[in-house]
Amino acid sequence: MRQLIIIGSGPAGYTAAIYAARANLKPLVVASSVEAGGELMNTTEVENFPGFPEGVQGPDLMTKMQEQAERFGAEVVYDDVTALDLAGSVKRVTLGSGRVEEADALIFATGSAYRKIGIAGEERLSGRGVSWCATCDGFFFRERTIAVVGGGDSAMEEATFLTRFASKIYVIHRRDELRASKIMQERAFANDKIEFVWNSAVTDILGEDAVTGVQLTSTVDGSTRELELQGLFVAIGNDPRTHLVHDQLELTAEGTIWVDGRSSRTSVPGVFAAGDVIDPTYRQAVTAAASGTVAALDAEHFLAALDEAGTPAPDADQIEGLPVL
Ligand SMILES: Cc1cc2nc3c(=O)[nH]c(=O)nc-3n(C[C@H](O)[C@H](O)[C@H](O)COP(=O)(O)OP(=O)(O)OC[C@H]3O[C@@H](n4cnc5c(N)ncnc54)[C@H](O)[C@@H]3O)c2cc1C
């Protein structure tokens, strides 16, 4: 049996693996069969991860994180977790291959998925004008014409934030009114760089190597037209990847995994969670990495406190110095 299994190989999973491996816990990282490396594998330049003044390509950053974790003894397996049994003190993890792994502790770092529009060009032009993150990519659109798709608070927040960079921003919405809170709406309406395009759905993204425009289809009469622009920010929601633990771990109202205060402790002793799967707000590579560190330190403390029979000591989940919540 292993001491620690980490599920997920994004910045949270690999950072947890670096810390856990350096603590000699020999963690197994279940990296996923098709999405190893996490969301940054889908982007090009990352300019806001500290330590890379010239920027770094997303896939290069993730390869380096993996190498760093393996250098200290983390074992990476390219498979998916298909089932979890978290009930007992031994955590059971079933992989797509049918293999079952067991461990005393588990770190759940499966990230979250930005909702996609689901149209042609969206995947191909991801990182080439199509983005899901204004904080990450807004800087690339200085003095450009761009659009934000969505009608909720996050769409208004992204659009308002993007006015710092872009010269013109269309907000494209399927209906003729917004879901966003009154205050967010008013802020967006008051900004003269923002123009609303009502009753319209983006049905195609135009451009070979970079976005040059979008095709809009009217949700009222089905007519189509093209809008010239260089960037498209999709802000139609985000789904934390929690389906494996819905009935086993407590979730928050936002659908993220509940953790105890600033720690990574979930509602089940010995199970820790990190990264975007616990974060409804910040969702950045560096915050996910930091959260992976917290999870590894919490897991390390938990494991150190296990008694010889493998039963958690009464205070095994409590880190000294952190408030009891
Ligand atoms: C296109 C794009 C560009 C971005 N650009 C930036 C940027 O420039 N700067 C920045 O700071 N942030 C950026 N972000 C956000 C950043 O990528 C995320 O905040 C960060 O990757 C979250 O890390 P994570 O480890 O929590 O999750 P993820 O990176 O999502 O990793 C989760 C991992 O878990 C795996 N997984 C899920 N389910 C299973 C399972 N059942 N079995 C095994 N593995 C599983 C996934 O395959 C994946 O490997 C960008 C996001 C996107 C989509």
Side-chain angles (χ1 to χ4, degrees), residues 24 28 39 45 70 73 98 100 115-116 125 142 151 156 158 169 190 197 200 205 225 229 245 250 258 263 290 324:
N24 219 12
L28 174 72
E39 294 214 306
E45 193 92 282
E70 287 176 326
V100 177
R115 278 186 209 143
K116 305 220 159 91
L125 294 167
R142 287 182 298 274
M156 293 314 106
E158 303 269 274
I169 297 161
V197 181
S200 299
I205 304 173
R225 67 180 173 114
L229 41 80
V245 293
E250 210 171 295
W258 175 87
S263 81
V324 182

Side-chain angles (χ1 to χ4, degrees), residues 128-283:
R128 297 183 159 74
V130 178
S131 173
W132 286 265
C133 175
T135 310
C136 311
D137 298 330
F139 199 72
F140 298 120
F141 293 91
R142 287 182 298 274
E143 299 307 319
R144 301 289 175 90
T145 298
I146 62 177
V148 173
V149 184
D153 273 349
S154 61
M156 293 314 106
E157 198 171 321
E158 303 269 274
T160 307
F161 174 76
L162 287 164
T163 58
R164 296 182 194 188
F165 312 103
S167 51
K168 166 97 190 164
I169 297 161
Y170 296 105
V171 173
I172 303 169
H173 188 43
R174 300 179 67 92
R175 300 194 291 152
D176 60 0
E177 59 182 356
L178 300 170
R179 268 181 296 108
S181 59
K182 197 97 184 122
I183 180 130
M184 296 300 294
Q185 293 195 25
E186 279 167 6
R187 209 171 288 162
F189 287 143
N191 196 313
D192 55 15
K193 280 189 177 179
I194 298 178
E195 180 180 331
F196 284 82
V197 181
W198 302 108
N199 295 316
S200 299
V202 177
T203 44
D204 198 5
I205 304 173
L206 313 174
E208 280 306 312
D209 303 319
V211 172
T212 57
V214 291
Q215 182 195 60
L216 298 178
T217 300
S218 164
T219 55
V220 176
D221 60 16
S223 60
T224 60
R225 67 180 173 114
E226 287 183 6
L227 198 58
E228 213 175 282
L229 41 80
Q230 292 87 48
L232 184 72
F233 285 80
V234 182
I236 54 176
N238 189 282
D239 298 309
R241 294 193 193 96
T242 56
H243 64 280
L244 285 170
V245 293
H246 268 163
D247 51 349
Q248 302 191 68
L249 296 182
E250 210 171 295
L251 304 181
T252 66
E254 285 110 344
T256 51
I257 292 176
W258 175 87
V259 290
D260 189 1
R262 292 174 56 223
S263 81
S264 65
R265 295 188 301 270
T266 68
S267 50
V268 171
V271 179
F272 304 88
D276 283 7
V277 78
I278 65 166
D279 181 356
T281 314
Y282 303 106
R283 293 197 296 257

